[in-house]
Every structure is written in C-alpha cells, then in structure tokens.
Amino acid sequence: MGLTGGIGAGKSTVAKTFIERGGFHIDADKIAREVVEPGTPGLARLVEAFGEGILAGDGSLDRAALAAKAFVDDESRSTLNSITHPLVGARTQEMLEAAPDDAIVIQDIPLLVEGNMAPFFHLVIIVHADAEERVRRLVELRGMPESDARARIAAQADDDQRRAVADAWLDNSGSPEALAAASAELWARRLVPFETNVRTRTPATVDPELVAAEPNSSTLPTRITQRLWALAGANATAIDAAASGSADPGFVITARDADASDALADALPPGGFAPIGDDRFGSADPGRPATVDVRTAE
C-alpha cells in the first residue's frame, strides 16, 4: 500500500496506527537518509560529485549545503538523483523482499503523487488537511518560518492531484485521535481483508460503505486501468473499460498472444485481481469492485 500526503498533513499518525497493528513500514525519507550516512558509498559519491563542502564538521551530510549545490540547475539536480535514486530503490527492494508473506506493507512516500508512482501500489492512501491548517502546524509545532512552510506546500502536489489518485482519503481536519480511529477502521475493514484476499487469491466480498466512501469516482476507471497497465506491461496491447454485465466496473485486457495471456494470469492475482473463471478476474479489494477479462489478440 502507498501512503502519502502533503507536508504537515499527519502521515506519521496514520503510519503509527498501522505499525501498531502489525504493518510493515517502509519509510522513503528514512531510507534516503540512511543511504548517505557517514561511511556509505552514497555519501562518498555525493562528495565526489559536489565536493567536500557538503560535509558537516562531524563528517555527516550537510543537507543545506548539498541543496545549495544540487538545486542550482537541472544538470546538478539530475546528478543528485542519479546517485541517490538507485540507492533508495535498491534498499526499498531489499526491505520488500524481507517482508513476511502475510505482511501488509505500507510504503510511506512523501512525493508518491509527484513521482507518478500511484499505479504501482495495490492501494493509495492519502492523508489530507487544508493548506492553512498545515501551515499552522508547521509553524506552531515544528517551528518552521511561515514563508518556508508555504513554499514547501506550494512545491508539492495540490489537493486535486492527490484526490485524482486516491483510493482511500483520510481527512485530518480534526484531532489526532480522530485520525487514528479512522486509520484503524481502514486497516480493519479494508487493508486486512485486501491482504488476505490477495494472498489466498480470493475475490473480495464488497463492503458497500467502503465503496460509498470512494474519494473520486470520476477517476476510478482511469486508476484501475493504470494499475492494470502496471501489471500487464508489454503483455498487453490494449486495456479498455467495458460493460461487465454487473454492477462492477468491467475491463478488458487484450493479450499480445497466448504466452502473454498466460503471463497475465500469473501477474493479476498478486496484483489484486483474483481468478473467478477462465480468463476472468475479480478485484480482491472490498472497497473497489471490478472485473477483468483477458482476451488474446487475433
């Protein structure tokens, strides 16, 4: 599952609630810090690229000094990303492989929306709070200058961009306790059954209240289509929405050939679509009903 939200929205409260219930938490920010700690190849490569001036007196990375050098132009930013992104990706993959088979993996990624990563997750959970409330929290609770807080918020995705990719929307306009309670309910009613269904290759029993809580029904077909493309890759020549003959949204994947059709049958169940018949699959998500038919191109 992908967890994200704007700075100051309250992601940490949601992550803590999931962790307390056994969630396997992968924190992208923490990994980004770990791969450039003193003594790591990552820090050595940064020093080689940007000079000794990016180091603090104790030999650790001075992030402000790095930013002053790395964000001056596109070439420098590209150099930074070419060093850090593969390291973060490799460490993330190591953690994913270390997760228990029955784990609910929560990938906590601040820039998930900005990085166009949503299709690669079973579920995208957005933590939301209004911009003015987030500014207040950043200033009063973190001691951040107001101008800095507003600049950081402005540099991130806006509410419409987040809602367009959201499968679950947790509103944090109230108290931390209210957010924790909503997170616990999402865990119990959606995440736990979803994980069980994926692991056992079982179509979901639809939860009408979860379906009614869909954050943006207008983008749902696009979200499912993008998810299917992420699973299908080159094995598909087309993915189309089509009438399924039921209340569930229906989709048709056209497989490149018979071998591709077999590959899709292997890829769809772990990706959240359980087999329900010959070349037909049903969503394992109790909050997102859908059927998928696989056809082979003639």
Side-chain angles (χ1 to χ4, degrees):
M1 313 295 172
L3 173 65
T4 193
I7 184 171
K11 264 190 318 93
S12 59
T13 297
V14 178
K16 180 175 181 290
T17 302
F18 291 162
I19 293 168
E20 289 172 346
R21 284 156 179 76
F24 189 93
H25 187 226
I26 300 178
D27 186 335
D29 273 351
K30 183 178 179 181
I31 292 173
R33 293 190 297 271
E34 288 177 350
V35 298
V36 292
E37 287 179 347
T40 61
L43 183 57
R45 290 184 60 193
L46 288 178
V47 171
E48 181 181 355
F50 296 104
E52 297 280 347
I54 65 170
L55 295 177
D58 61 359
S60 64
L61 178 64
D62 183 332
R63 294 185 176 276
L66 174 62
K69 291 178 175 287
F71 294 102
V72 294
D73 53 45
D74 290 342
E75 183 179 356
S76 298
R77 187 181 299 108
S78 178
T79 298
L80 172 64
N81 291 340
S82 71
I83 294 171
T84 58
H85 286 187
L87 296 171
V88 171
R91 177 56 182 148
T92 299
Q93 187 60 38
E94 288 178 3
M95 296 185 71
L96 286 170
E97 292 172 357
D101 291 341
D102 62 349
I104 298 177
V105 178
I106 307 298
Q107 289 191 242
D108 189 337
I109 306 176
L111 299 181
L112 183 152
V113 178
E114 294 83 346
N116 299 312
M117 304 177 207
F120 301 100
F121 294 94
H122 287 86
L123 197 75
V124 173
I125 302 165
I126 301 289
V127 187
H128 169 74
D130 290 338
E132 289 304 315
E133 174 61 17
R134 290 159 56 202
V135 169
R136 184 193 68 78
R137 292 172 184 170
L138 293 172
V139 172
E140 295 182 5
L141 303 179
R142 299 193 194 180
M144 187 179 294
E146 182 176 340
S147 59
D148 191 7
R150 293 188 181 280
R152 293 194 183 202
I153 289 173
Q156 294 184 337
D158 61 28
D159 291 346
D160 289 341
Q161 290 170 315
R162 291 194 181 95
R163 193 176 287 276
V165 302
D167 298 307
W169 187 268
L170 292 173
D171 189 290
N172 187 23
S173 57
S175 67
E177 293 77 16
L179 178 61
S183 303
E185 182 176 13
L186 178 66
W187 175 272
R189 292 186 64 173
R190 190 167 187 181
L191 273 59
V192 170
F194 195 178
E195 184 282 322
T196 300
N197 292 340
V198 170
R199 179 163 40 84
T200 61
R201 298 166 61 98
T202 304
T205 298
V206 175
D207 184 326
E209 291 185 8
L210 289 177
V211 174
E214 162 60 44
N216 193 343
S217 58
S218 66
T219 67
L220 181 58
T222 299
R223 278 183 276 132
I224 296 177
T225 300
Q226 290 175 341
R227 174 66 180 156
L228 292 172
W229 272 118
L231 294 170
N235 290 308
T237 61
I239 299 178
D240 301 295
S244 66
S246 73
D248 300 345
F251 298 83
V252 176
I253 301 178
T254 302
R256 188 184 64 250
D257 52 31
D259 288 342
S261 180
D262 291 342
L264 287 167
D266 291 336
L268 288 171
F273 298 90
I276 55 176
D278 291 341
D279 298 323
R280 174 165 263 221
F281 302 82
S283 173
D285 179 359
R288 184 175 53 191
T291 55
V292 179
D293 291 293
V294 176
R295 300 173 183 171
T296 303
E298 297 181 358

